[in-house]
C-alpha cells in the first residue's frame, strides 16, 4: 500500500470530494489498475509483500479452521497468489483439491520452484464468474474484500454465488477483520486500535467491517453468515457464508 500512503499529501492538497478516495484522486485511477499498469514498480512488489504476509499465517489458517469437512471437495483461494495458503491445507488434507486463483499476471509470475505440491493454478477474475474453475465447492478469500467498497464486495460475492451454482452446501470463507461494535468500544477503549486498518483502507475505497456490516453484505449477495470464528493470532478471523435457503 506504499503508493497509497505516499500520495496522501498530494491527494488532500487537490481538494477531495466526500466520495473520492485519495489514491484515485492522486493517480487518476483505482489502486489495482495502477498495479496492473505499473508491474515493475508497484504490481510485483505488492504481490511479493502479500506473499510474505501470508507466510506468517499459512500454518495457523490451515490448523484453525475445520477444513477436514471439505475432504473430497474443491477449495479455490481467490487472490491466492503463490498458493501458500491452499498449499498448507493440501499438506494436511491431501484429498482436498486445492486451487490458487489470481489475475493472469500474478499466476504467470509464480516461480515453479515455489509452487506447493498438489496445488493447481488458475488465471481468473473474481468479478467474472465465467473465469472461475469448474466444480468449485468452497471459495476462500483472505484480505480481499476489505480492499473494496460495499458495492464491489456485493459484486464479488454475487460472482461467487453464481460459481457455486446449484450446490446447496457451497461455502464462501472470508478472512478479514471484524471490527468491534460501538458497545465494545465503550467497554474497552483499547479496542479502538482495530480501526487503524480501516483508516488505511479508506485511501483506496476499501473498509474494515463490523459483524453487522458483514451480515448486510452477505444478505445483499444471497448468502447468510453461519459462523464467525476469531482464533488467537497469528490466525486471521474466519467468516463463513452459506447460500440462503
Amino acid at each position: 500500500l506504499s503508493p497509497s500512503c505516499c500520495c496522501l499529501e498530494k491527494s488532500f492538497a487537490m481538494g477531495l470530494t466526500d466520495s473520492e478516495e485519495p489514491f484515485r484522486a492522486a493517480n487518476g485511477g483505482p489502486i489495482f489498475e495502477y498495479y496492473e499498469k505499473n508491474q515493475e514498480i508497484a504490481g510485483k512488489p505488492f504481490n511479493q509483500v502479500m506473499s510474505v504476509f501470508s507466510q506468517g499465517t499459512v500454518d495457523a489458517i490451515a490448523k484453525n479452521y475445520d477444513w477436514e469437512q471439505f475432504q473430497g471437495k474443491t477449495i479455490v483461494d481467490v487472490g491466492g497468489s503463490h498458493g501458500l495458503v491452499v498449499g498448507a491445507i493440501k499438506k494436511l488434507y491431501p484429498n482436498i483439491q486445492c486451487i490458487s486463483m489470481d489475475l493472469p499476471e500474478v499466476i504467470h509470475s509464480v516461480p515453479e520452484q515455489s509452487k506447493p505440491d498438489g496445488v493447481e493454478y488458475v488465471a481468473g477474475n473474481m468479478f467474472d464468474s465465467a473465469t472461475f474453475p469448474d466444480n468449485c465447492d468452497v471459495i476462500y478469500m483472505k484480505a480481499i474484500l476489505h480492499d473494496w467498497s460495499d458495492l464491489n464486495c456485493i459484486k464479488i460475492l454475487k460472482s461467487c454465488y453464481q460459481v457455486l451454482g446449484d450446490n446447496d452446501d457451497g461455502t464462501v470463507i472470508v478472512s478479514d477483520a471484524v471490527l468491534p461494535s460501538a458497545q465494545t468500544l465503550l467497554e474497552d477503549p483499547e479496542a479502538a486500535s482495530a480501526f487503524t486498518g480501516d483508516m488505511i483502507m479508506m485511501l483506496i475505497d476499501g473498509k474494515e467491517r463490523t459483524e453487522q456490516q458483514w451480515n448486510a453484505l452477505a444478505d445483499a449477495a444471497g448468502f447468510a453468515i453461519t459462523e464467525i470464528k476469531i482464533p488467537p493470532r497469528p490466525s486471521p478471523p474466519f467468516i463463513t457464508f452459506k447460500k440462503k435457503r
Side-chain angles (χ1 to χ4, degrees), residues 202-241:
M202 288 171 62
L203 298 174
I204 60 172
D205 200 26
K207 63 192 292 186
E208 307 290 1
R209 294 173 171 89
T210 63
E211 180 176 349
Q212 182 180 12
Q213 290 171 319
W214 282 117
N215 278 310
L217 283 186
D219 184 66
F223 289 97
I225 292 177
T226 59
E227 180 187 32
I228 295 180
K229 182 179 182 181
I230 304 180
R233 293 181 180 180
S235 176
F238 299 97
I239 309 168
T240 302
F241 296 65

Side-chain angles (χ1 to χ4, degrees), residues 100-178:
S100 178
M101 173 180 149
D102 216 311
L103 294 171
E105 59 267 24
V106 177
I107 293 298
H108 296 154
S109 69
V110 179
E112 284 296 325
Q113 64 271 20
S114 72
K115 293 181 177 180
D117 291 339
V119 173
E120 301 173 41
Y121 293 81
V122 171
N125 187 322
M126 60 190 174
F127 288 98
D128 184 359
S129 60
T131 67
F132 277 68
D134 295 331
N135 303 320
C136 180
D137 300 301
V138 181
I139 296 170
Y140 179 63
M141 292 184 282
K142 180 176 74 69
I144 299 294
L145 296 186
H146 75 162
D147 290 335
W148 300 92
S149 66
D150 287 347
L151 180 61
N152 278 318
C153 282
I154 291 170
K155 289 179 181 178
I156 294 167
L157 288 169
K158 283 185 174 180
S159 181
C160 294
Y161 190 96
Q162 290 179 328
V163 170
L164 295 172
D166 296 329
N167 185 351
D168 290 336
D169 290 326
T171 305
V172 175
I173 303 162
V174 171
S175 282
D176 265 323
V178 180

Side-chain angles (χ1 to χ4, degrees), residues 34-70:
Y34 179 88
Y35 287 157
E36 183 179 0
K37 292 179 178 178
N38 298 274
Q39 281 293 309
E40 294 302 320
I41 65 170
K44 289 182 180 179
F46 173 77
N47 292 328
Q48 291 167 354
V49 168
M50 291 299 99
S51 293
V52 170
F53 282 161
S54 291
Q55 287 175 1
T57 62
V58 288
D59 288 339
I61 291 171
K63 294 175 181 177
N64 281 284
Y65 191 84
D66 180 21
W67 303 106
E68 187 175 9
Q69 64 182 302
F70 304 123

